[in-house]
Amino acid sequence: MSVPQTLDDLGEIAGQVALVRVDFNVPIGEDGAVGDDTRLRASLPTVMALRRRGAVVLLLSHLGRPKGKPTAAFSLAPVAQAYSSLLGDEVHFLEDWTGAGAKRAVSELEAGDVALLENTRFYAGEESNGPELASAMADLADFYVNDAFSASHRAHASTVGVARLLPSYMGRALQDELGALQEAIGHGREPSTAIIGGAKISSKLDVLEQLSTKVDNLIIGGAMANTFLAALKKPIGKSLAERNLEDAALRILKSASQGKCQIHLPEDVVVARELTPHPVSLRTALVEDVAADEMILDLGPRTVAKTVDVLRSSQLLIWNGPLGAFETPPFETSTFAIAQAAAELTRKGSLISLAGGGDTLAALNKSGLTADLTHVSTGGGAFLEWVAGIALPGLQVLT
Ligand code: ADP
Ligand code: MG
């Protein structure tokens, strides 16, 4: 397999149009202000390099889940404004980039100009990777750059379809992300431990199955654990779980028991009758002992201690998903305690720690420990699939 080309492989591009897939899927407040702008800043090295060399830069991104229809709440217009302040220069906004006027609008841009295209998911062809939408994208530009690692696990028009139609390159952020992941994981460190938590169970089950064939320890927490506990006929009360996935959970437990992977499920948990800050009904319970009107909202102290023990004897940690409902105190406790342990072991040099995921990153930022881990990925789903050894379609197409 050939190696993807980077911006260093581009020839003369002055006056050419670059179509750059970025991930500007950022939080936007009620007032229309962009919250965390990490993802906007991540694109700057690529965008500035292309501008410096005289290209016209068209930026392509999705935002939220508008389900294939224009939806005002998911417009990228406020992001164009935020990006303009960041860049210290005008950012044009192309609301209609598939219509008859789109090519003319692009041809009026000058060398070094930057324009953001409206949300790709306003078109049904984005998520279905429709050929018409992909050619509408390709028609606007001379070459394509993927700088969105976090969107590369999806075979969409803006990540795969268009890349087949234009000469394609990896952007700087994508290159950096892959470099950091390869460096961290490339040495095959054993024993390895994956911690998987969070709430998006259905979307993570496939990866869990793959991971269980790769790592020595699989620690399951968060709402993800509830589905496994329910599958094992433990009482989980009113906990968040996906009951229809109990069979899949049992399958994963079975295949792990046949291989070398040890799965660790919670032994004790923190429960409450309502999810509010510091509820009076808060208590610690063994997983056999959760009442019908209670919810599991965090890992218990015994489970945390056991997890830390596993980390002490591990060389590599792969972490996705908060271990409790960390947005509501005190249900961040186990996530913070385990982040603390991972940070300490990483500082000591005994552990390589990799984490990824939107909410995982938010939880780590809240704990103040992000910088103490070896690498925190911009990707959630893409991160998990990459570490599980699943080929990402948006990267494959670049080779
Ligand atoms: P990521 O974005 O890092 O991939 P997810 O989106 O899968 O993570 O899950 C994050 C969410 O999971 C958080 O909003 C957190 O509150 C929730 N969560 C974790 N554990 C529980 C639990 N026991 N009960 C309810 N929600 C939980
Ligand atoms: Mg999330």
Side-chain angles (χ1 to χ4, degrees), residues 242-294:
E242 290 185 55
R243 302 273 183 167
N244 57 328
L245 296 174
E246 287 179 24
D247 285 345
L250 289 178
R251 213 173 50 233
I252 291 170
L253 291 174
K254 190 167 167 227
S255 78
S257 73
Q258 288 161 350
K260 63 156 193 173
C261 177
Q262 196 183 347
I263 295 198
H264 306 255
L265 287 170
E267 292 177 16
D268 62 342
V269 285
V270 177
V271 298
R273 285 200 292 271
E274 58 286 314
L275 179 53
T276 50
H278 306 287
V280 282
S281 58
L282 180 100
R283 70 181 187 105
T284 299
L286 294 174
V287 290
E288 287 77 21
D289 189 28
V290 176
D293 61 350
E294 288 178 321

Side-chain angles (χ1 to χ4, degrees), residues 116-397:
L116 176 62
L117 276 47
E118 182 58 291
N119 195 344
T120 54
R121 289 195 187 164
F122 280 8
Y123 300 90
E126 165 67 339
E127 295 191 55
S128 66
N129 191 9
E132 276 176 37
L133 188 65
S135 13
M137 291 172 182
D139 279 347
L140 299 175
D142 298 298
F143 63 97
Y144 169 83
V145 177
N146 182 350
D147 211 23
F149 173 75
S150 48
S152 297
H153 60 311
R154 300 193 167 113
H156 290 177
S158 67
T159 53
V160 170
V162 64
R164 289 196 204 288
L165 301 174
L166 289 174
S168 297
Y169 302 84
M170 285 209 288
R172 297 292 187 221
L174 177 55
Q175 236 182 312
D176 288 351
E177 177 76 57
L178 287 176
L181 287 174
Q182 269 151 3
E183 181 176 317
I185 229 168
H187 311 293
R189 287 169 163 254
E190 290 189 355
S192 59
T193 296
I195 301 183
I196 307 295
K200 283 187 280 180
I201 302 157
S202 42
S203 67
K204 294 181 184 178
L205 267 177
D206 278 353
V207 183
L208 217 56
E209 215 154 358
Q210 289 287 328
L211 265 180
S212 70
T213 67
K214 296 222 152 59
V215 295
D216 302 292
N217 297 288
L218 182 54
I219 294 171
I220 300 177
M224 172 82 81
N226 300 339
T227 300
F228 280 83
L229 292 171
L232 293 171
K233 304 280 178 268
K234 307 280 186 209
I236 63 163
K238 293 190 299 174
S239 304
L240 178 63
E242 290 185 55
R243 302 273 183 167
N244 57 328
L245 296 174
E246 287 179 24
D247 285 345
L250 289 178
R251 213 173 50 233
I252 291 170
L253 291 174
K254 190 167 167 227
S255 78
S257 73
Q258 288 161 350
K260 63 156 193 173
C261 177
Q262 196 183 347
I263 295 198
H264 306 255
L265 287 170
E267 292 177 16
D268 62 342
V269 285
V270 177
V271 298
R273 285 200 292 271
E274 58 286 314
L275 179 53
T276 50
H278 306 287
V280 282
S281 58
L282 180 100
R283 70 181 187 105
T284 299
L286 294 174
V287 290
E288 287 77 21
D289 189 28
V290 176
D293 61 350
E294 288 178 321
M295 286 178 282
I296 300 172
L297 294 168
D298 201 9
L299 300 178
R302 188 201 290 192
T303 306
V304 170
K306 289 207 153 179
T307 302
V308 171
D309 276 344
V310 172
L311 290 185
R312 282 209 186 93
S313 62
S314 299
Q315 300 243 16
L316 175 68
L317 167 65
I318 292 160
W319 182 2
N320 167 263
L323 302 171
F326 76 97
E327 298 91 339
T328 312
F331 305 114
E332 76 288 359
T333 308
S334 78
T335 303
F336 282 17
I338 287 164
Q340 184 71 51
E344 265 169 45
L345 293 166
T346 305
R347 277 196 298 264
K348 265 188 17 201
S350 71
L351 185 72
I352 298 266
S353 50
L354 288 177
D359 293 288
T360 309
L361 186 55
L364 286 171
N365 283 342
K366 223 170 149 185
S367 76
L369 294 163
T370 309
D372 293 312
L373 302 187
T374 310
H375 178 67
V376 177
S377 171
T378 52
F383 165 73
L384 264 184
E385 292 189 20
W386 192 91
V387 294
I390 300 170
L392 308 189
L395 301 185
Q396 262 187 320
V397 72

